[in-house]
């Protein structure tokens, strides 16, 4: 693995070096090449505190790294059209062992092809003790679901004859996840933490054609996906589970368990998008999107130990289960819209959209309790989910003056859904409706290029909503302002507020979210020798909702509070004049919140860049991570991170 | 035939016929003119062009930067050779002769939408998830030049490195960027992702310019394919209101980007209908779980397949 890291670094250095050599060769015209290469080594101090929390939040490691590589390559002047490509752009980030690696390639030849390749590898580690154990500090320790997995994404797209009237295109995307984790095996009144293996992938194949004329543009795309999910649990050894007290005098435990999921899925989909501007005063668009995903499931489970079936108070030592299931979900969506410009300064935007899907499923569940005479039971289950969602929007934009835009409109959202009912009526369906009228208004004010002020507001009146916490009667206001006081001073300001309520007596939901944010960017003089960026944001979330507490079924109030302060300061100072003057950066980011889950997260940073040559800089960075949660003090961590590297520019 | 119009999505206006502003047409007349206008493009009177050399004489700094820009291609082998500046700024002979800034078009100083139309004269056929680029960001309230460096210092008109993209978006969307400073968030700060991984600033068919995958599925499923389903037993909010009904994708102080600090509150706020009058989905509460017992404080300890299950109606496996 270590050798592979050095190999990646050497390859990257060689790529830049080769381009520089090409520059020195006697070829009369040099290729159009520009790029940046950052390589370095990262060290980490001992992570003080909870290492699992560190990995869940930051998760950066040590060792040599290709921190960044990006370059553009094109044919020399005069040789355009004679190379296999006219433009090649490549970007790569965090290679050599970092948990987040990305690469992107965009290569094209005018009128012939364009190929893009995107690769991402993102580690997902999540093991926060407090997540399942809010009372761990009282010695109450339970199992939880945790993950140590990776998600990898490959995305390839090839366009042929781009820019011509007819452009065929083909694409392939593969998204896969793999790794291990901890999950829970639930057996009636006890639950057992067990290790599991996760492995899933989705392949997406697509092809289509874009057709364009001066006024119309049509995209027709046909695609399909295949899906495979093979999760597995294979765990052995005496496991007492979360319930440590005997049940009716008997101790319950798990000795071994096998769970094997075999989920296969596929989907076909079709997409058609027509846009056009049949006249200079009308733009129109029409979309039709259809997909029909389906899955087939086979599942097998065998567990041994000591268990109890609550419905007949039967104690037993083993159980086998198998499930065969299938699900289909035809899904169609469409929209029609236009932008009409009846006068020079007036625009009217109208759109209708609909989104419908219908999930129909069936499952055959077979259970066998392993007694002297095995007890078998087979159940057939059906499930449905039917959703119709519609939206109509009308907005008028009026620009009475060059420096002023006014917007006003209306949005109506309506729909209905039928979903599986609660556990008390397991085979039933319950229905919900959505009806919401929203008034929209906005204003944009521009005073030259110095000041821009933008405000948008919404007032909604809903009389039907799907869920207790959904938007119903709400008011929303977002204001943004930008002011360039001088060449050196730039100010940004943002204020937003969202107040939502559902006054239904048994819900009494009150939700309020507001935020003030301001930033200032100071670049004195034109010398670019110093700059300061400062940002500050204050946010608040206040939520009150009446709930029915399980157990005693009494009414309680669910409170949630989050008052956050976030700040960033970054100051750049160039020590001296000239292109080889060192540059120092100092600052950092902090997040401090109070309320339901008080949190402190500090990330101070210091950087230095020492140009050795106009194309070679030595760099150094120090960063400190400090994370603390007063209610969950055991979960905090602190760590220093140092990175030293070289940056090559061209 | 020149090669430039074959660039992806580019349809340059013919020389001497600079794109005219949209003609205001009264609504009543509009219908009758619809058919005719489809086949007729009004011609603006031809004006004199000055040529790039003339522009460079005064605007040397811009000219120097322009040599590294992708727009420099306009200068090569097209009928616009030596007139690249005037593809956007319009014929400039009169401006060059008099120096009067009123006689030259500056797209960055035009009113809302007009500046974008200057860009879209060539770029409107550029493909986007919504078909093609129809107008600037937020219906031309944010012009193309806010994000794209038209004269450019790079080959690309916008720096597409994830860190740069995030910085660009954050200048206006401070609220979103602030949330990414919270501890539990997608990996934007590490450069593994950028805002454009989930949103397309040129518009999509979904609200908030969210990307879609496989025609009409939420963009989240591009990376989280295991949550796609369809599941034998669905969890309705995932389908009806999307991931945001429980998660705050821009970042949260709560583990797993949840919108509540403990899982039981997340669940009980919906699974808590009191009486039939509420008229909302969610059913009654899971009545026999005593949440005073630590075992029942985190619903997902047992209901592990909370996004939907292929096996179990209660989402237990």
């Amino acid at each position: 693995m270590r050798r592979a890291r050095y190999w990646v670094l050497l390859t990257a250095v060689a790529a830049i070096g080769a381009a520089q050599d090409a520059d020195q060769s006697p070829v009369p015209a040099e290729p159009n090449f520009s790029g940046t290469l950052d390589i370095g080594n990262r060290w980490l101090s001992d992570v003080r505190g909870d290492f699992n929390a560190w990995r869940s939040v930051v998760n950066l490691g040590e060792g040599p790294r290709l921190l960044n590589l990006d370059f553009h390559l094109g044919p020399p002047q005069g040789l355009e059209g004679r190379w296999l490509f006219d433009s090649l752009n490549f970007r790569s980030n965090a290679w050599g062992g970092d948990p987040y690696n990305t690469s992107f390639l965009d290569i094209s030849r005018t009128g012939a092809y364009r190929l893009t390749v995107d690769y991402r590898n993102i580690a997902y580690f999540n093991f926060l003790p407090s997540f399942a154990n809010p009372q761990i500090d009282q010695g109450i320790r339970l199992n939880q679901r945790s993950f140590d997995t990776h998600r990898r994404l490959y995305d390839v797209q090839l366009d042929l004859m781009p820019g011509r009237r007819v452009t065929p295109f083909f694409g392939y995307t593969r998204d896969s996840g793999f790794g291990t984790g901890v999950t829970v095996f639930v057996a009636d009144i006890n639950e057992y933490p067990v290790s599991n293996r996760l492995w899933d992938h989705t392949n997406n194949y697509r092809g289509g054609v874009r057709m364009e004329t001066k006024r119309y543009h049509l995209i027709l795309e046909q695609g399909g996906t295949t899906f495979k999910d093979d999760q597995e649990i294979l765990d052995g050894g005496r496991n007492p589970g979360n319930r440590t007290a005997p049940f009716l005098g008997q101790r319950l435990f798990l000795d071994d368990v096998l769970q094997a999921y075999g989920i296969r899925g596929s989907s076909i989909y079709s997409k058609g998008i027509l846009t056009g501007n049949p006249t200079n005063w009308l733009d129109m668009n029409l979309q039709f999107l259809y997909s029909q995903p389906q899955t087939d499931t086979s599942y097998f489970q065998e567990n041994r130990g000591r268990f109890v079936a609550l419905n007949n108070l039967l104690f037993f030592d083993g159980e086998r289960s198998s499930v065969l299931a299938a699900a289909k979900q035809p899904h169609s969506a469409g929209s029609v819209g236009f932008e009409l410009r009846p006068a020079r300064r007036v625009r009217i935007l109208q759109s209708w959209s609909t989104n419908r899907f219908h999930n129909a499923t069936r499952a055959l569940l077979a259970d066998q309790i392993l007694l002297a005479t095995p007890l078998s039971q087979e159940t057939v289950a059906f499930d449905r989910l039917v959703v119709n969602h519609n939206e109509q929007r009308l907005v008028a934009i009026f620009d009475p003056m060059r420096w002023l835009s006014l917007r006003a409109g209306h949005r109506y959202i309506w729909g209905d859904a039928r979903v599986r009912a609660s556990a008390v009526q397991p085979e039933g369906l319950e229905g919900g409706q959505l009806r919401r009228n929203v008034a929209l208004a906005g204003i944009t004010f521009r005073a030259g290029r110095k000041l821009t002020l933008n405000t948008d507001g919404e007032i909604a009146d809903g009389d039907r909503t799907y869920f207790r916490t959904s938007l119903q009667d709400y008011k929303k206001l977002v204001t943004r302002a930008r002011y360039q006081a001088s060449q050196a001073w730039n100010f940004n300001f943002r204020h937003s507020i969202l107040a939502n309520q559902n006054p239904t007596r048994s819900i009494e939901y009150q939700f309020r979210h507001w935020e003030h944010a301001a930033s200032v960017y100071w670049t004195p003089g034109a010398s670019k020798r110093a700059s300061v960026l400062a940002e500050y944001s204050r946010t608040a979330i206040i939520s009150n909702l009446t709930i029915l507490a399980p157990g005693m079924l009494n009414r309680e109030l669910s409170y949630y509070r989050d008052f956050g302060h976030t700040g960033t300061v970054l100051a750049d100072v160039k020590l001296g004049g000239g292109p080889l003057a060192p540059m120092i950066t100092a600052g950092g980011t902090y997040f401090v919140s109070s309320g339901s889950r008080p949190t402190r997260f500090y990330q101070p940073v210091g950087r230095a860049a020492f140009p050795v040559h106009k194309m070679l800089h030595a760099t150094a960075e120090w960063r400190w991570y400090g994370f603390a949660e007063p209610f969950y003090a055991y979960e905090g961590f602190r760590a220093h991170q140092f990175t030293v590297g070289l940056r090559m520019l061209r | 035939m020149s090669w430039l119009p074959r660039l992806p999505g580019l349809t340059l206006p013919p020389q001497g016929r600079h794109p005219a502003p949209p003609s205001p047409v009264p609504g009543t007349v509009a219908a009758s003119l619809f058919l005719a206008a489809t086949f007729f493009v009004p011609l603006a009177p031809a004006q004199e062009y000055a040529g790039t050399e003339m522009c460079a004489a005064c605007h040397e700094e811009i000219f120097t930067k322009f040599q590294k820009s992708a727009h420099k291609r306009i200068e090569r082998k097209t009928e616009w050779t030596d007139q690249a500046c005037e593809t956007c700024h319009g014929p400039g002979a009169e401006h060059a002769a008099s120096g009067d800034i009123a006689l030259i078009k500056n797209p960055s100083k035009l009113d809302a939408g007009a500046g974008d139309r200057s860009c879209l004269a060539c770029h409107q056929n550029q493909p986007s998830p919504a078909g093609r680029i129809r107008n600037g960001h937020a219906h031309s309230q944010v012009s193309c030049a806010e994000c794209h460096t038209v004269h450019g210092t790079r080959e690309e008109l916008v720096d597409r490195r994830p860190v740069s993209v995030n910085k660009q978006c954050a200048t206006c969307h401070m609220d979103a960027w602030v949330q990414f400073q919270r501890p539990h968030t997608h990996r934007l700060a590490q450069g593994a992702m950028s805002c454009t991984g989930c949103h397309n600033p040129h518009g999509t068919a979904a609200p908030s310019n969210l990307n879609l995958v496989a025609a009409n599925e939420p963009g989240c499923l591009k990376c989280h394919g295991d949550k796609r389903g369809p599941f034998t037993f669905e969890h309705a909010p995932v389908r009806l209101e999307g991931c945001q009904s429980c998660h705050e994708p821009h970042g949260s102080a709560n583990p797993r980007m949840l919108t509540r600090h403990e899982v039981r509150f997340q669940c009980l706020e919906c699974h808590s209908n009191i009486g039939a009058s509420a008229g909302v989905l969610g059913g009654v509460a899971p009545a026999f779980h005593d949440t005073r017992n630590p075992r029942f404080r985190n619903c997902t300890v047992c209901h592990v397949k909370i996004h939907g299950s292929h096996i179990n109606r209660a989402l237990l496996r």
Side-chain angles (χ1 to χ4, degrees), chain B residues 118-131:
Chain B
S118 183
C119 302
L120 293 174
C122 296
H123 288 278
Q124 80 163 357
N125 269 337
Q126 202 134 336
S128 86

Side-chain angles (χ1 to χ4, degrees), chain A residues 56-57 70 72 80 91 93 100 102 110 126 128 131-132 135 140 142-143 145 151 153 155 162-164 175 184 186 189 191 213 215 217 219 231 243 261 263 269 273 275-282 285 287 289 291 293 295 297 299 301 325 329 331 339 342-345 347 349 359 361 365 382-383 385 387 393 402 407 420 426-427 430 444 446 465-466 468 470 480 482 494 506 515 537 539 543 545 547-548 550-551 558 560 562 589 591 596-597 627, chain B residues 3 5-7 22-25 30 34 37-38 40-42 76 108 111-112 124-125 127 129-132 134-135 139 141 146 155 160-161 171-175 178 181-184 187 190-192 205 214-217 222-223 225-226 228-234 236-237 239-241 253-256 258-263 265 268-270 272-274 278 280-283 286-287 289 294-295 297-298 300-302 304-305 310-311 313 317:
Chain A
S56 301
V57 175
D70 66 90
H72 166 79
E80 294 96 349
R91 295 189 292 276
N93 194 45
Y100 321 112
T102 60
T110 307
N126 199 303
L128 286 167
F131 183 61
Q135 295 167 302
I140 298 168
L142 302 171
N143 56 277
R145 295 192 73 211
R151 290 220 73 85
L153 185 86
D155 189 14
R164 302 229 178 172
D175 161 48
V184 180
V186 182
I189 58 166
E191 54 280 344
T213 64
R215 293 192 175 276
H217 189 275
I219 298 179
Q231 298 174 50
R243 184 189 183 93
Y261 293 79
I263 303 157
Y269 66 85
I273 304 177
T275 51
N277 53 323
T279 73
N280 280 347
W281 44 269
L282 179 69
N285 62 84
Q287 298 194 35
L289 315 165
S291 63
T295 50
T297 303
Y299 168 83
Q301 170 198 317
Q329 191 191 73
H331 183 178
E339 179 180 317
R344 180 180 289 274
R345 297 190 180 278
R347 287 185 286 157
L349 288 78
N359 191 354
T361 70
L365 305 101
F382 299 92
D383 206 1
L385 177 76
V387 179
R393 197 168 67 113
R402 207 172 62 179
R407 297 178 291 281
R420 170 168 42 96
E427 297 301 329
E430 61 176 323
T444 301
R446 302 175 205 85
T465 189
Y466 286 143
R468 292 161 57 86
S470 301
R480 287 194 191 101
R482 297 170 66 185
R494 184 187 152 97
S506 55
E515 183 210 0
S537 161
T539 59
S543 169
L545 178 68
I547 63 168
L548 188 68
S558 172
Y560 180 71
D562 182 295
T589 300
F591 165 69
S596 301
R597 194 180 181 107
F627 177 70
Chain B
W3 58 268
R6 299 200 304 268
L7 281 173
S23 316
V25 178
F34 180 89
T38 303
F40 176 74
V41 183
R76 299 178 204 145
S108 67
D111 60 8
Q124 80 163 357
N125 269 337
R132 62 177 175 175
R134 297 200 289 265
N135 44 38
H139 295 295
Q141 301 301 304
E146 294 273 352
E155 164 63 21
R160 294 180 201 275
R161 286 176 294 184
T171 54
C172 292
H173 299 278
M174 275 190 291
D175 56 323
V178 157
Q181 308 310 317
R182 294 183 170 224
H184 306 288
R187 304 299 184 185
Q190 287 84 352
N216 52 15
E217 305 299 326
K222 183 171 183 179
C223 297
D226 54 325
R228 167 67 192 87
F231 295 102
T232 313
F233 304 102
E234 296 276 0
R239 298 289 179 215
L240 269 66
E241 297 203 334
N254 305 318
R256 307 204 177 167
L258 291 174
T259 56
R260 293 292 179 268
H261 58 299
E262 285 185 27
V263 174
F265 294 114
L268 288 173
E269 289 196 352
C270 281
S272 210
N273 285 350
I274 304 170
V280 290
L281 299 171
H289 295 338
R295 281 178 61 213
R297 291 212 148 198
N298 183 333
T300 53
V301 164
C302 293
V304 289
K305 302 296 181 189
H310 293 282
I311 311 297
R313 184 182 292 279
R317 60 192 67 158

Side-chain angles (χ1 to χ4, degrees), chain A residues 41 74 85 134 167 173 181 200 245 259-260 322 339 383 409 455 458 485 499 528 544 574 630:
Chain A
N41 199 76
F85 56 88
T167 303
T173 304
D200 71 86
Q259 270 187 331
S322 62
E339 179 180 317
D383 206 1
T455 299
E458 295 183 13
K528 298 180 181 174
N544 296 331
K574 203 171 182 182

Side-chain angles (χ1 to χ4, degrees), chain A residues 35-52:
Chain A
T36 311
L37 169 68
D38 283 291
I39 54 173
N41 199 76
R42 188 187 296 136
W43 293 269
L44 210 59
S45 70
D46 284 342
V47 177
R48 292 187 180 185
D50 190 292
F51 188 69
N52 287 322

Side-chain angles (χ1 to χ4, degrees), chain A residues 243-313:
Chain A
R243 184 189 183 93
T244 47
F247 180 74
L248 297 179
Q250 296 211 32
R251 288 205 174 273
L252 305 174
F253 55 85
L254 173 74
D255 272 339
D256 56 73
V257 59
L258 165 69
Q259 270 187 331
Y261 293 79
I263 303 157
R264 301 290 178 269
S266 64
S267 167
I268 53 159
Y269 66 85
S270 307
K271 184 159 104 175
I273 304 177
L274 174 68
T275 51
N277 53 323
T279 73
N280 280 347
W281 44 269
L282 179 69
D283 290 350
M284 46 153 281
N285 62 84
L286 180 71
Q287 298 194 35
F288 176 71
L289 315 165
Y290 176 77
S291 63
Q292 188 176 7
Q294 60 181 43
T295 50
D296 292 296
T297 303
S298 67
Y299 168 83
F300 178 76
Q301 170 198 317
E302 182 166 346
N303 50 291
R304 293 181 183 277
R306 192 65 178 154
F307 313 99
V308 62
L310 260 192
N311 50 0
N312 50 8
L313 283 181

